[in-house]
Amino acid sequence: MFRARPVAMAAALASVALLAAACGSGGGQEDGGGPWKPDRPIEIIAPAATGGGWDTLARTSGRVLEQGGLVDEPVQVVNKPGGGGSIGWAYVAQTPDTPTRLFVTSPPISLVPLMGGSVYDHEDFTPIARLATEYMVYLVPDDSPIGSWGEMADLLKEDPRQVSIAGGSSPGSMDHVGLAGAVNAAGIDPTSINYVPFDGGGEAMTQAVGGHVDAVVTGASEAAGLVESGDLRPLAVSGAERATTLPDTPTLQEEGVDFTFDIWRGVMGPPDMTEEQVAYYEGLFSDMTEEESWKKQTKGLGWTDSYMGSEEFGVFLDESSRDSADILTRIGLIEDGEGR
């Protein structure tokens, strides 16, 4: 019977121990038994093209984390556009042993899977923190003959297909639902509207400015720059109150439409993160929201602070998914009980 020599056996056991330690570190390190922290650059995935809300959140977060000295490693923002977010989610889900790879998120993490656009939903990832909330805005090019939300609604009632409205997410996702819910509340069949999807709010607004579509729906913060430059003209916002960045723009309720839609924004990580890894990021993003630079930049974007830690955010995501299924059913985009 073969027996390993003691020296060889000791070397083999040492190799196994080193391999186990490497696998367990998952891109982080514990100094002298201390808490886990990353030992390589942190990636924040924006599951859309540049210029949209996800991209803005990822880059704002990365900038504040680095400039505030809150991280020892650099923060890299990586854009993974496509599929209303599903390409980016798959990228994270397929590397579950990479806890240094996070992604920014919002309502599409519930909406897109319900519409069959992704095999992954919020339950496949680890909630880290909810950070902020904002509203949607409905806009037209500045030279558009459409003067108000009411005028656009009248045109849609006359013929829903005659007004093309762009959004930066796939059918059944955030921008589409924010539009469909509003027109449904205005007495228009939401399944008949001419919604034109693009990969991100930036691209959708570019199409509107270029005259390729008649209107656009996007997050209020995304549109602020093009409104200020005079390229786009806002008709209404989806909040219960006017957006701080668009104080002269009426709410849908002021326009006689009983509908509101919040865009929450947060951060999630890969599946199977350890408690230590979650605790590190939860504390990191909590500290980030206390930075004056974060408060200043988010105020300028029109975002409202709505921080939640990991556990509370997880409960919120479950509720948000149920609410998403309800609204998709009400506006006729899925049948009751459909979805993942």
Side-chain angles (χ1 to χ4, degrees), residues 91-163:
Y91 178 68
V92 176
Q94 290 164 8
T95 54
D97 57 345
T98 309
T100 51
R101 182 170 292 156
L102 312 177
F103 68 97
V104 291
T105 187
S106 58
I109 192 66
S110 297
L111 295 164
V112 172
L114 286 166
M115 289 292 295
S118 173
V119 297
Y120 301 104
D121 67 12
H122 75 280
E123 294 181 338
D124 294 303
F125 302 100
T126 303
I128 300 296
R130 191 181 79 172
L131 302 174
T133 303
E134 66 166 318
Y135 305 117
M136 310 216 74
V137 60
Y138 312 86
L139 312 102
V140 293
D142 188 57
D143 59 357
S144 170
I146 300 173
S148 68
W149 166 269
E151 288 184 16
M152 186 168 77
D154 288 341
L155 289 171
L156 291 170
K157 289 176 182 177
E158 180 183 294
D159 178 4
R161 304 296 299 177
Q162 71 177 313
V163 181

Side-chain angles (χ1 to χ4, degrees), residues 45-50 54 78-91 108 112 117-120 168-171 173 197-201 203:
I45 308 303
T50 58
W54 282 334
V78 179
N79 293 88
K80 292 287 182 181
S86 62
I87 301 298
W89 305 331
Y91 178 68
V112 172
S118 173
V119 297
Y120 301 104
S169 61
S170 59
S173 193
F198 293 96
D199 281 331
E203 185 179 354

Side-chain angles (χ1 to χ4, degrees), residues 17-328:
L18 286 170
L19 178 61
C23 292
S25 68
Q29 61 185 9
E30 296 182 2
D31 293 333
W36 180 92
K37 64 178 181 179
D39 63 359
R40 66 185 69 169
I42 299 169
E43 286 184 54
I44 301 182
I45 308 303
T50 58
W54 282 334
D55 182 67
T56 300
L57 176 58
R59 294 184 187 281
T60 302
S61 298
R63 187 164 53 247
V64 173
L65 289 172
E66 287 192 338
Q67 293 178 355
L70 300 178
V71 288
D72 296 328
E73 300 292 336
V75 179
Q76 301 173 345
V77 174
V78 179
N79 293 88
K80 292 287 182 181
S86 62
I87 301 298
W89 305 331
Y91 178 68
V92 176
Q94 290 164 8
T95 54
D97 57 345
T98 309
T100 51
R101 182 170 292 156
L102 312 177
F103 68 97
V104 291
T105 187
S106 58
I109 192 66
S110 297
L111 295 164
V112 172
L114 286 166
M115 289 292 295
S118 173
V119 297
Y120 301 104
D121 67 12
H122 75 280
E123 294 181 338
D124 294 303
F125 302 100
T126 303
I128 300 296
R130 191 181 79 172
L131 302 174
T133 303
E134 66 166 318
Y135 305 117
M136 310 216 74
V137 60
Y138 312 86
L139 312 102
V140 293
D142 188 57
D143 59 357
S144 170
I146 300 173
S148 68
W149 166 269
E151 288 184 16
M152 186 168 77
D154 288 341
L155 289 171
L156 291 170
K157 289 176 182 177
E158 180 183 294
D159 178 4
R161 304 296 299 177
Q162 71 177 313
V163 181
S164 57
I165 307 174
S169 61
S170 59
S173 193
M174 185 170 66
D175 293 351
H176 188 200
V177 168
L179 173 63
V183 300
N184 181 64
I188 302 159
D189 178 8
T191 64
S192 65
I193 57 177
N194 185 11
Y195 175 75
V196 186
F198 293 96
D199 281 331
E203 185 179 354
M205 288 186 291
T206 298
Q207 295 298 314
V209 171
H212 304 294
V213 292
D214 300 308
V216 61
V217 55
T218 190
S221 64
E222 299 176 56
L226 287 172
V227 171
E228 185 177 351
S229 68
D231 291 296
L232 291 175
R233 176 163 42 85
L235 304 179
V237 295
S238 69
E241 300 176 350
R242 295 191 178 195
T244 57
T245 52
L246 302 168
D248 298 325
T249 304
T251 66
L252 288 171
Q253 292 183 330
E254 289 179 89
E255 292 288 299
V257 179
D258 187 17
F259 178 76
T260 59
F261 189 82
D262 296 347
I263 306 174
W264 54 265
R265 300 194 182 278
V267 183
M268 299 186 76
D272 305 323
M273 293 179 73
T274 67
E275 291 182 5
E276 292 79 9
Q277 292 162 356
V278 172
Y280 170 82
Y281 287 118
E282 188 178 39
L284 181 67
F285 285 102
S286 176
D287 290 344
M288 182 190 75
T289 62
E290 296 299 320
E291 290 285 309
E292 285 304 315
S293 60
W294 170 263
K295 294 177 181 178
K296 181 178 180 179
Q297 291 181 64
T298 54
K299 181 180 180 180
L301 291 166
W303 295 352
T304 301
D305 175 60
S306 59
Y307 180 85
M308 287 181 179
S310 176
E311 184 175 354
E312 187 180 7
F313 187 31
V315 173
F316 170 82
L317 286 166
D318 290 339
E319 295 172 349
S320 179
S321 182
R322 290 191 292 269
D323 290 343
S324 295
D326 179 63
I327 191 171
L328 288 171

